[in-house]
mmCIF file of all heavy atoms in Angstrom:
data_model
loop_
_atom_site.group_PDB
_atom_site.id
_atom_site.type_symbol
_atom_site.label_atom_id
_atom_site.label_comp_id
_atom_site.label_asym_id
_atom_site.label_seq_id
_atom_site.Cartn_x
_atom_site.Cartn_y
_atom_site.Cartn_z
ATOM 1 N N SER A 264 -4.191 -10.763 11.058
ATOM 2 C CA SER A 264 -3.486 -11.192 9.801
ATOM 3 C C SER A 264 -3.393 -12.740 9.763
ATOM 4 O O SER A 264 -3.542 -13.382 8.741
ATOM 5 C CB SER A 264 -2.100 -10.542 9.845
ATOM 6 O OG SER A 264 -1.487 -10.644 8.570
ATOM 7 N N LYS A 265 -3.127 -13.358 10.932
ATOM 8 C CA LYS A 265 -2.994 -14.824 11.016
ATOM 9 C C LYS A 265 -4.338 -15.493 10.723
ATOM 10 O O LYS A 265 -4.429 -16.465 10.024
ATOM 11 C CB LYS A 265 -2.510 -15.200 12.387
ATOM 12 C CG LYS A 265 -1.029 -15.009 12.630
ATOM 13 C CD LYS A 265 -0.566 -15.590 13.928
ATOM 14 C CE LYS A 265 0.883 -15.954 13.770
ATOM 15 N NZ LYS A 265 1.312 -16.930 14.761
ATOM 16 N N ASN A 266 -5.404 -14.923 11.240
ATOM 17 C CA ASN A 266 -6.761 -15.443 10.923
ATOM 18 C C ASN A 266 -7.065 -15.349 9.479
ATOM 19 O O ASN A 266 -7.589 -16.297 8.840
ATOM 20 C CB ASN A 266 -7.771 -14.774 11.810
ATOM 21 C CG ASN A 266 -7.891 -15.361 13.144
ATOM 22 O OD1 ASN A 266 -8.525 -16.417 13.351
ATOM 23 N ND2 ASN A 266 -7.216 -14.754 14.111
ATOM 24 N N LEU A 267 -6.694 -14.222 8.919
ATOM 25 C CA LEU A 267 -7.014 -13.953 7.478
ATOM 26 C C LEU A 267 -6.237 -14.947 6.623
ATOM 27 O O LEU A 267 -6.788 -15.481 5.604
ATOM 28 C CB LEU A 267 -6.613 -12.521 7.164
ATOM 29 C CG LEU A 267 -7.172 -11.935 5.858
ATOM 30 C CD1 LEU A 267 -8.648 -11.893 5.835
ATOM 31 C CD2 LEU A 267 -6.596 -10.554 5.627
ATOM 32 N N ARG A 268 -5.013 -15.200 6.955
ATOM 33 C CA ARG A 268 -4.200 -16.144 6.221
ATOM 34 C C ARG A 268 -4.915 -17.514 6.135
ATOM 35 O O ARG A 268 -5.024 -18.126 5.100
ATOM 36 C CB ARG A 268 -2.808 -16.303 6.867
ATOM 37 C CG ARG A 268 -2.001 -17.532 6.450
ATOM 38 C CD ARG A 268 -1.496 -17.472 5.041
ATOM 39 N NE ARG A 268 -0.805 -18.697 4.718
ATOM 40 C CZ ARG A 268 -0.967 -19.409 3.581
ATOM 41 N NH1 ARG A 268 -1.776 -18.978 2.629
ATOM 42 N NH2 ARG A 268 -0.242 -20.470 3.330
ATOM 43 N N GLU A 269 -5.395 -17.971 7.242
ATOM 44 C CA GLU A 269 -6.109 -19.301 7.269
ATOM 45 C C GLU A 269 -7.332 -19.222 6.405
ATOM 46 O O GLU A 269 -7.614 -20.121 5.633
ATOM 47 C CB GLU A 269 -6.454 -19.730 8.700
ATOM 48 C CG GLU A 269 -5.185 -20.020 9.562
ATOM 49 C CD GLU A 269 -4.233 -20.996 8.857
ATOM 50 O OE1 GLU A 269 -4.659 -22.045 8.396
ATOM 51 O OE2 GLU A 269 -3.009 -20.654 8.804
ATOM 52 N N GLU A 270 -8.146 -18.187 6.609
ATOM 53 C CA GLU A 270 -9.397 -18.064 5.882
ATOM 54 C C GLU A 270 -9.234 -17.939 4.388
ATOM 55 O O GLU A 270 -10.113 -18.424 3.643
ATOM 56 C CB GLU A 270 -10.143 -16.821 6.328
ATOM 57 C CG GLU A 270 -10.816 -16.847 7.658
ATOM 58 C CD GLU A 270 -11.502 -15.518 8.033
ATOM 59 O OE1 GLU A 270 -11.899 -14.774 7.083
ATOM 60 O OE2 GLU A 270 -11.603 -15.224 9.197
ATOM 61 N N MET A 271 -8.219 -17.311 3.959
ATOM 62 C CA MET A 271 -8.015 -17.030 2.544
ATOM 63 C C MET A 271 -7.346 -18.087 1.715
ATOM 64 O O MET A 271 -7.292 -17.985 0.451
ATOM 65 C CB MET A 271 -7.292 -15.662 2.361
ATOM 66 C CG MET A 271 -8.126 -14.475 2.758
ATOM 67 S SD MET A 271 -9.642 -14.410 1.803
ATOM 68 C CE MET A 271 -10.915 -14.539 3.057
ATOM 69 N N LYS A 272 -6.856 -19.129 2.398
ATOM 70 C CA LYS A 272 -6.182 -20.234 1.652
ATOM 71 C C LYS A 272 -7.055 -20.725 0.517
ATOM 72 O O LYS A 272 -6.594 -20.795 -0.615
ATOM 73 C CB LYS A 272 -5.762 -21.331 2.577
ATOM 74 C CG LYS A 272 -4.535 -21.086 3.408
ATOM 75 C CD LYS A 272 -4.231 -22.237 4.350
ATOM 76 C CE LYS A 272 -3.012 -21.948 5.188
ATOM 77 N NZ LYS A 272 -2.832 -22.904 6.266
ATOM 78 N N PRO A 273 -8.323 -21.131 0.769
ATOM 79 C CA PRO A 273 -9.080 -21.700 -0.292
ATOM 80 C C PRO A 273 -9.444 -20.668 -1.402
ATOM 81 O O PRO A 273 -9.900 -21.098 -2.489
ATOM 82 C CB PRO A 273 -10.380 -22.219 0.377
ATOM 83 C CG PRO A 273 -10.367 -21.722 1.747
ATOM 84 C CD PRO A 273 -8.995 -21.163 2.056
ATOM 85 N N TYR A 274 -9.285 -19.425 -1.160
ATOM 86 C CA TYR A 274 -9.622 -18.393 -2.143
ATOM 87 C C TYR A 274 -8.353 -17.983 -2.924
ATOM 88 O O TYR A 274 -8.386 -16.974 -3.691
ATOM 89 C CB TYR A 274 -10.278 -17.184 -1.458
ATOM 90 C CG TYR A 274 -11.571 -17.544 -0.879
ATOM 91 C CD1 TYR A 274 -11.719 -17.866 0.465
ATOM 92 C CD2 TYR A 274 -12.695 -17.616 -1.680
ATOM 93 C CE1 TYR A 274 -12.934 -18.215 1.009
ATOM 94 C CE2 TYR A 274 -13.934 -17.983 -1.162
ATOM 95 C CZ TYR A 274 -14.021 -18.297 0.181
ATOM 96 O OH TYR A 274 -15.230 -18.665 0.730
ATOM 97 N N ASN A 275 -7.267 -18.664 -2.628
ATOM 98 C CA ASN A 275 -6.027 -18.392 -3.421
ATOM 99 C C ASN A 275 -5.507 -16.959 -3.171
ATOM 100 O O ASN A 275 -4.808 -16.365 -4.056
ATOM 101 C CB ASN A 275 -6.256 -18.600 -4.924
ATOM 102 C CG ASN A 275 -4.992 -18.808 -5.652
ATOM 103 O OD1 ASN A 275 -4.047 -19.374 -5.119
ATOM 104 N ND2 ASN A 275 -4.922 -18.234 -6.866
ATOM 105 N N ILE A 276 -5.893 -16.375 -2.057
ATOM 106 C CA ILE A 276 -5.399 -15.010 -1.716
ATOM 107 C C ILE A 276 -4.243 -15.202 -0.675
ATOM 108 O O ILE A 276 -4.458 -15.822 0.333
ATOM 109 C CB ILE A 276 -6.553 -14.162 -1.125
ATOM 110 C CG1 ILE A 276 -7.577 -13.947 -2.191
ATOM 111 C CG2 ILE A 276 -6.031 -12.854 -0.614
ATOM 112 C CD1 ILE A 276 -8.921 -13.397 -1.671
ATOM 113 N N LYS A 277 -3.140 -14.592 -1.021
ATOM 114 C CA LYS A 277 -1.988 -14.697 -0.106
ATOM 115 C C LYS A 277 -2.070 -13.639 0.948
ATOM 116 O O LYS A 277 -2.509 -12.510 0.693
ATOM 117 C CB LYS A 277 -0.676 -14.544 -0.914
ATOM 118 C CG LYS A 277 -0.476 -15.556 -1.992
ATOM 119 C CD LYS A 277 0.848 -15.379 -2.664
ATOM 120 C CE LYS A 277 1.052 -16.295 -3.844
ATOM 121 N NZ LYS A 277 2.427 -16.254 -4.430
ATOM 122 N N VAL A 278 -1.638 -14.007 2.160
ATOM 123 C CA VAL A 278 -1.626 -13.032 3.268
ATOM 124 C C VAL A 278 -0.209 -13.131 3.925
ATOM 125 O O VAL A 278 0.245 -14.228 4.225
ATOM 126 C CB VAL A 278 -2.709 -13.330 4.307
ATOM 127 C CG1 VAL A 278 -2.601 -12.384 5.462
ATOM 128 C CG2 VAL A 278 -4.092 -13.282 3.655
ATOM 129 N N THR A 279 0.453 -12.015 4.035
ATOM 130 C CA THR A 279 1.781 -11.978 4.649
ATOM 131 C C THR A 279 1.783 -11.004 5.826
ATOM 132 O O THR A 279 1.348 -9.832 5.701
ATOM 133 C CB THR A 279 2.832 -11.508 3.580
ATOM 134 O OG1 THR A 279 2.795 -12.406 2.481
ATOM 135 C CG2 THR A 279 4.217 -11.482 4.192
ATOM 136 N N HIS A 280 2.258 -11.512 6.972
ATOM 137 C CA HIS A 280 2.382 -10.638 8.132
ATOM 138 C C HIS A 280 3.806 -10.087 8.094
ATOM 139 O O HIS A 280 4.778 -10.879 8.086
ATOM 140 C CB HIS A 280 2.220 -11.388 9.431
ATOM 141 C CG HIS A 280 1.428 -12.685 9.317
ATOM 142 N ND1 HIS A 280 0.134 -12.698 8.833
ATOM 143 C CD2 HIS A 280 1.696 -13.942 9.676
ATOM 144 C CE1 HIS A 280 -0.332 -13.943 8.784
ATOM 145 N NE2 HIS A 280 0.598 -14.707 9.348
ATOM 146 N N VAL A 281 3.920 -8.756 8.107
ATOM 147 C CA VAL A 281 5.264 -8.132 8.076
ATOM 148 C C VAL A 281 5.540 -7.546 9.433
ATOM 149 O O VAL A 281 4.798 -6.790 10.002
ATOM 150 C CB VAL A 281 5.308 -7.015 6.974
ATOM 151 C CG1 VAL A 281 6.682 -6.388 6.883
ATOM 152 C CG2 VAL A 281 4.814 -7.512 5.650
ATOM 153 N N LEU A 282 6.656 -8.034 9.995
ATOM 154 C CA LEU A 282 6.997 -7.633 11.380
ATOM 155 C C LEU A 282 8.366 -6.990 11.434
ATOM 156 O O LEU A 282 9.344 -7.662 11.715
ATOM 157 C CB LEU A 282 6.972 -8.829 12.338
ATOM 158 C CG LEU A 282 5.573 -9.576 12.403
ATOM 159 C CD1 LEU A 282 5.556 -10.782 11.522
ATOM 160 C CD2 LEU A 282 5.233 -9.934 13.818
ATOM 161 N N PRO A 283 8.397 -5.664 11.113
ATOM 162 C CA PRO A 283 9.706 -5.030 11.074
ATOM 163 C C PRO A 283 10.135 -4.535 12.524
ATOM 164 O O PRO A 283 9.264 -4.162 13.296
ATOM 165 C CB PRO A 283 9.504 -3.771 10.190
ATOM 166 C CG PRO A 283 8.045 -3.784 9.831
ATOM 167 C CD PRO A 283 7.346 -4.751 10.660
ATOM 168 N N GLY A 284 11.446 -4.560 12.708
ATOM 169 C CA GLY A 284 12.003 -3.776 13.850
ATOM 170 C C GLY A 284 12.135 -2.321 13.425
ATOM 171 O O GLY A 284 11.534 -1.933 12.403
ATOM 172 N N ALA A 285 13.000 -1.587 14.072
ATOM 173 C CA ALA A 285 13.164 -0.181 13.766
ATOM 174 C C ALA A 285 13.705 0.055 12.381
ATOM 175 O O ALA A 285 14.737 -0.448 11.998
ATOM 176 C CB ALA A 285 14.058 0.484 14.827
ATOM 177 N N ALA A 286 13.000 0.904 11.663
ATOM 178 C CA ALA A 286 13.441 1.294 10.313
ATOM 179 C C ALA A 286 13.291 2.813 10.202
ATOM 180 O O ALA A 286 12.306 3.408 10.695
ATOM 181 C CB ALA A 286 12.559 0.625 9.232
ATOM 182 N N TYR A 287 14.285 3.470 9.602
ATOM 183 C CA TYR A 287 14.283 4.952 9.650
ATOM 184 C C TYR A 287 13.156 5.499 8.757
ATOM 185 O O TYR A 287 13.131 5.291 7.574
ATOM 186 C CB TYR A 287 15.636 5.560 9.283
ATOM 187 C CG TYR A 287 15.595 7.039 9.624
ATOM 188 C CD1 TYR A 287 15.816 7.420 10.924
ATOM 189 C CD2 TYR A 287 15.325 7.969 8.689
ATOM 190 C CE1 TYR A 287 15.752 8.723 11.297
ATOM 191 C CE2 TYR A 287 15.207 9.297 9.074
ATOM 192 C CZ TYR A 287 15.466 9.677 10.382
ATOM 193 O OH TYR A 287 15.372 11.005 10.733
ATOM 194 N N THR A 288 12.234 6.257 9.399
ATOM 195 C CA THR A 288 11.171 6.970 8.710
ATOM 196 C C THR A 288 10.935 8.282 9.432
ATOM 197 O O THR A 288 11.532 8.459 10.493
ATOM 198 C CB THR A 288 9.852 6.159 8.672
ATOM 199 O OG1 THR A 288 9.389 6.024 10.053
ATOM 200 C CG2 THR A 288 10.009 4.795 8.048
ATOM 201 N N ASP A 289 9.916 9.029 9.005
ATOM 202 C CA ASP A 289 9.594 10.261 9.664
ATOM 203 C C ASP A 289 9.263 10.072 11.164
ATOM 204 O O ASP A 289 9.434 10.915 11.990
ATOM 205 C CB ASP A 289 8.366 10.911 9.029
ATOM 206 C CG ASP A 289 8.732 11.957 8.049
ATOM 207 O OD1 ASP A 289 9.899 11.900 7.562
ATOM 208 O OD2 ASP A 289 7.951 12.828 7.738
ATOM 209 N N SER A 290 8.746 8.858 11.466
ATOM 210 C CA SER A 290 8.357 8.584 12.826
ATOM 211 C C SER A 290 9.565 8.596 13.718
ATOM 212 O O SER A 290 9.451 8.648 14.948
ATOM 213 C CB SER A 290 7.518 7.357 12.987
ATOM 214 O OG SER A 290 8.033 6.268 12.312
ATOM 215 N N TRP A 291 10.796 8.537 13.155
ATOM 216 C CA TRP A 291 12.028 8.561 13.963
ATOM 217 C C TRP A 291 12.709 9.941 13.940
ATOM 218 O O TRP A 291 13.665 10.169 14.678
ATOM 219 C CB TRP A 291 13.035 7.515 13.478
ATOM 220 C CG TRP A 291 12.611 6.094 13.862
ATOM 221 C CD1 TRP A 291 11.894 5.254 13.133
ATOM 222 C CD2 TRP A 291 12.956 5.456 15.108
ATOM 223 N NE1 TRP A 291 11.713 4.064 13.809
ATOM 224 C CE2 TRP A 291 12.302 4.159 15.015
ATOM 225 C CE3 TRP A 291 13.643 5.818 16.201
ATOM 226 C CZ2 TRP A 291 12.439 3.247 16.022
ATOM 227 C CZ3 TRP A 291 13.767 4.837 17.233
ATOM 228 C CH2 TRP A 291 13.157 3.586 17.137
ATOM 229 N N SER A 292 12.177 10.826 13.047
ATOM 230 C CA SER A 292 12.888 12.172 12.984
ATOM 231 C C SER A 292 12.737 12.861 14.325
ATOM 232 O O SER A 292 11.700 12.838 14.996
ATOM 233 C CB SER A 292 12.291 12.991 11.820
ATOM 234 O OG SER A 292 10.958 13.243 12.065
ATOM 235 N N GLY A 293 13.817 13.536 14.731
ATOM 236 C CA GLY A 293 13.828 14.247 15.986
ATOM 237 C C GLY A 293 14.161 13.377 17.136
ATOM 238 O O GLY A 293 14.123 13.790 18.284
ATOM 239 N N SER A 294 14.492 12.107 16.862
ATOM 240 C CA SER A 294 14.794 11.191 17.979
ATOM 241 C C SER A 294 16.257 11.026 18.259
ATOM 242 O O SER A 294 16.686 10.355 19.158
ATOM 243 C CB SER A 294 14.236 9.774 17.665
ATOM 244 O OG SER A 294 15.001 9.235 16.603
ATOM 245 N N ASN A 295 17.126 11.711 17.445
ATOM 246 C CA ASN A 295 18.578 11.610 17.572
ATOM 247 C C ASN A 295 19.099 10.247 17.349
ATOM 248 O O ASN A 295 20.188 9.896 17.776
ATOM 249 C CB ASN A 295 19.049 12.112 18.971
ATOM 250 C CG ASN A 295 18.903 13.592 19.098
ATOM 251 O OD1 ASN A 295 19.000 14.359 18.083
ATOM 252 N ND2 ASN A 295 18.690 14.079 20.287
ATOM 253 N N ILE A 296 18.311 9.384 16.725
ATOM 254 C CA ILE A 296 18.754 8.015 16.445
ATOM 255 C C ILE A 296 19.925 7.975 15.454
ATOM 256 O O ILE A 296 19.886 8.787 14.501
ATOM 257 C CB ILE A 296 17.568 7.162 15.939
ATOM 258 C CG1 ILE A 296 17.937 5.689 15.851
ATOM 259 C CG2 ILE A 296 17.045 7.634 14.600
ATOM 260 C CD1 ILE A 296 18.003 4.957 17.140
ATOM 261 N N ASP A 297 20.862 7.142 15.623
ATOM 262 C CA ASP A 297 21.915 6.923 14.690
ATOM 263 C C ASP A 297 21.318 6.130 13.543
ATOM 264 O O ASP A 297 20.937 4.945 13.679
ATOM 265 C CB ASP A 297 23.030 6.165 15.372
ATOM 266 C CG ASP A 297 24.141 5.720 14.385
ATOM 267 O OD1 ASP A 297 24.084 6.074 13.193
ATOM 268 O OD2 ASP A 297 25.057 4.992 14.825
ATOM 269 N N THR A 298 21.245 6.765 12.344
ATOM 270 C CA THR A 298 20.553 6.105 11.222
ATOM 271 C C THR A 298 21.245 4.821 10.782
ATOM 272 O O THR A 298 20.658 3.977 10.144
ATOM 273 C CB THR A 298 20.418 7.055 10.019
ATOM 274 O OG1 THR A 298 21.680 7.568 9.715
ATOM 275 C CG2 THR A 298 19.474 8.207 10.317
ATOM 276 N N ALA A 299 22.503 4.676 11.141
ATOM 277 C CA ALA A 299 23.245 3.445 10.816
ATOM 278 C C ALA A 299 22.905 2.306 11.776
ATOM 279 O O ALA A 299 23.237 1.159 11.524
ATOM 280 C CB ALA A 299 24.730 3.711 10.777
ATOM 281 N N ARG A 300 22.250 2.634 12.859
ATOM 282 C CA ARG A 300 21.939 1.589 13.863
ATOM 283 C C ARG A 300 20.623 0.873 13.516
ATOM 284 O O ARG A 300 20.424 -0.263 13.977
ATOM 285 C CB ARG A 300 21.867 2.296 15.246
ATOM 286 C CG ARG A 300 21.311 1.439 16.369
ATOM 287 C CD ARG A 300 22.261 0.255 16.686
ATOM 288 N NE ARG A 300 21.762 -0.541 17.800
ATOM 289 C CZ ARG A 300 20.855 -1.540 17.660
ATOM 290 N NH1 ARG A 300 20.343 -1.860 16.467
ATOM 291 N NH2 ARG A 300 20.458 -2.214 18.715
ATOM 292 N N ILE A 301 19.759 1.572 12.763
ATOM 293 C CA ILE A 301 18.464 0.942 12.478
ATOM 294 C C ILE A 301 18.348 0.741 10.928
ATOM 295 O O ILE A 301 19.209 1.144 10.145
ATOM 296 C CB ILE A 301 17.262 1.748 13.000
ATOM 297 C CG1 ILE A 301 17.171 3.138 12.293
ATOM 298 C CG2 ILE A 301 17.368 1.908 14.502
ATOM 299 C CD1 ILE A 301 15.930 3.908 12.780
ATOM 300 N N MET A 302 17.314 0.009 10.553
ATOM 301 C CA MET A 302 17.182 -0.330 9.111
ATOM 302 C C MET A 302 16.750 0.854 8.250
ATOM 303 O O MET A 302 16.328 1.852 8.771
ATOM 304 C CB MET A 302 16.162 -1.458 8.944
ATOM 305 C CG MET A 302 16.482 -2.715 9.696
ATOM 306 S SD MET A 302 15.234 -4.006 9.429
ATOM 307 C CE MET A 302 13.827 -3.358 10.335
ATOM 308 N N GLU A 303 16.849 0.682 6.940
ATOM 309 C CA GLU A 303 16.268 1.683 6.004
ATOM 310 C C GLU A 303 14.889 1.176 5.700
ATOM 311 O O GLU A 303 14.581 -0.018 5.643
ATOM 312 C CB GLU A 303 17.114 1.674 4.754
ATOM 313 C CG GLU A 303 18.534 2.153 4.959
ATOM 314 C CD GLU A 303 19.367 2.032 3.726
ATOM 315 O OE1 GLU A 303 18.892 1.558 2.607
ATOM 316 O OE2 GLU A 303 20.566 2.295 3.776
ATOM 317 N N ALA A 304 13.985 2.138 5.393
ATOM 318 C CA ALA A 304 12.609 1.818 4.986
ATOM 319 C C ALA A 304 12.662 0.888 3.801
ATOM 320 O O ALA A 304 11.896 -0.077 3.673
ATOM 321 C CB ALA A 304 11.870 3.071 4.654
ATOM 322 N N ALA A 305 13.625 1.108 2.896
ATOM 323 C CA ALA A 305 13.789 0.314 1.698
ATOM 324 C C ALA A 305 14.010 -1.150 2.000
ATOM 325 O O ALA A 305 13.712 -2.042 1.213
ATOM 326 C CB ALA A 305 14.814 0.866 0.754
ATOM 327 N N ASP A 306 14.691 -1.481 3.148
ATOM 328 C CA ASP A 306 14.938 -2.885 3.515
ATOM 329 C C ASP A 306 13.597 -3.635 3.639
ATOM 330 O O ASP A 306 13.467 -4.759 3.188
ATOM 331 C CB ASP A 306 15.703 -2.938 4.825
ATOM 332 C CG ASP A 306 17.095 -2.452 4.696
ATOM 333 O OD1 ASP A 306 17.756 -2.663 3.676
ATOM 334 O OD2 ASP A 306 17.588 -1.809 5.607
ATOM 335 N N VAL A 307 12.656 -2.992 4.253
ATOM 336 C CA VAL A 307 11.328 -3.612 4.485
ATOM 337 C C VAL A 307 10.610 -3.757 3.107
ATOM 338 O O VAL A 307 10.041 -4.761 2.776
ATOM 339 C CB VAL A 307 10.471 -2.800 5.470
ATOM 340 C CG1 VAL A 307 9.112 -3.430 5.677
ATOM 341 C CG2 VAL A 307 11.224 -2.684 6.802
ATOM 342 N N ALA A 308 10.697 -2.639 2.314
ATOM 343 C CA ALA A 308 10.056 -2.656 1.044
ATOM 344 C C ALA A 308 10.585 -3.803 0.099
ATOM 345 O O ALA A 308 9.824 -4.479 -0.568
ATOM 346 C CB ALA A 308 10.229 -1.288 0.315
ATOM 347 N N LYS A 309 11.909 -4.005 0.162
ATOM 348 C CA LYS A 309 12.491 -5.031 -0.693
ATOM 349 C C LYS A 309 11.986 -6.407 -0.341
ATOM 350 O O LYS A 309 11.769 -7.250 -1.242
ATOM 351 C CB LYS A 309 14.038 -5.015 -0.551
ATOM 352 C CG LYS A 309 14.727 -3.859 -1.285
ATOM 353 C CD LYS A 309 16.226 -3.886 -0.955
ATOM 354 C CE LYS A 309 16.850 -2.536 -1.454
ATOM 355 N NZ LYS A 309 18.196 -2.363 -0.928
ATOM 356 N N MET A 310 11.788 -6.672 0.926
ATOM 357 C CA MET A 310 11.266 -8.029 1.351
ATOM 358 C C MET A 310 9.831 -8.163 0.879
ATOM 359 O O MET A 310 9.435 -9.247 0.473
ATOM 360 C CB MET A 310 11.340 -8.114 2.886
ATOM 361 C CG MET A 310 12.727 -8.122 3.474
ATOM 362 S SD MET A 310 13.785 -9.416 2.757
ATOM 363 C CE MET A 310 12.988 -10.879 3.473
ATOM 364 N N ILE A 311 9.068 -7.099 0.952
ATOM 365 C CA ILE A 311 7.652 -7.210 0.514
ATOM 366 C C ILE A 311 7.592 -7.421 -1.001
ATOM 367 O O ILE A 311 6.828 -8.252 -1.497
ATOM 368 C CB ILE A 311 6.913 -5.910 0.911
ATOM 369 C CG1 ILE A 311 6.762 -5.880 2.463
ATOM 370 C CG2 ILE A 311 5.563 -5.765 0.199
ATOM 371 C CD1 ILE A 311 6.207 -4.619 2.988
ATOM 372 N N TYR A 312 8.434 -6.692 -1.704
ATOM 373 C CA TYR A 312 8.488 -6.826 -3.164
ATOM 374 C C TYR A 312 8.851 -8.295 -3.509
ATOM 375 O O TYR A 312 8.194 -8.886 -4.390
ATOM 376 C CB TYR A 312 9.473 -5.858 -3.744
ATOM 377 C CG TYR A 312 9.575 -5.853 -5.222
ATOM 378 C CD1 TYR A 312 8.674 -5.123 -6.029
ATOM 379 C CD2 TYR A 312 10.490 -6.658 -5.932
ATOM 380 C CE1 TYR A 312 8.760 -5.183 -7.426
ATOM 381 C CE2 TYR A 312 10.590 -6.672 -7.289
ATOM 382 C CZ TYR A 312 9.709 -5.913 -8.028
ATOM 383 O OH TYR A 312 9.725 -5.973 -9.403
#
Side-chain angles (χ1 to χ4, degrees):
S264 196
K265 285 189 149 198
N266 277 280
L267 196 61
R268 162 71 181 134
E269 292 310 310
E270 284 179 27
M271 289 301 119
K272 281 178 182 170
Y274 295 96
N275 200 36
I276 296 168
K277 300 184 186 188
V278 178
T279 302
H280 336 306
V281 184
L282 299 102
Y287 193 79
T288 63
D289 263 23
S290 46
W291 286 92
S292 60
S294 69
N295 289 331
I296 187 77
D297 172 5
T298 53
R300 172 63 180 85
I301 65 175
M302 298 182 290
E303 296 173 3
D306 292 321
V307 179
K309 284 175 192 167
M310 295 302 293
I311 290 173
Y312 182 85

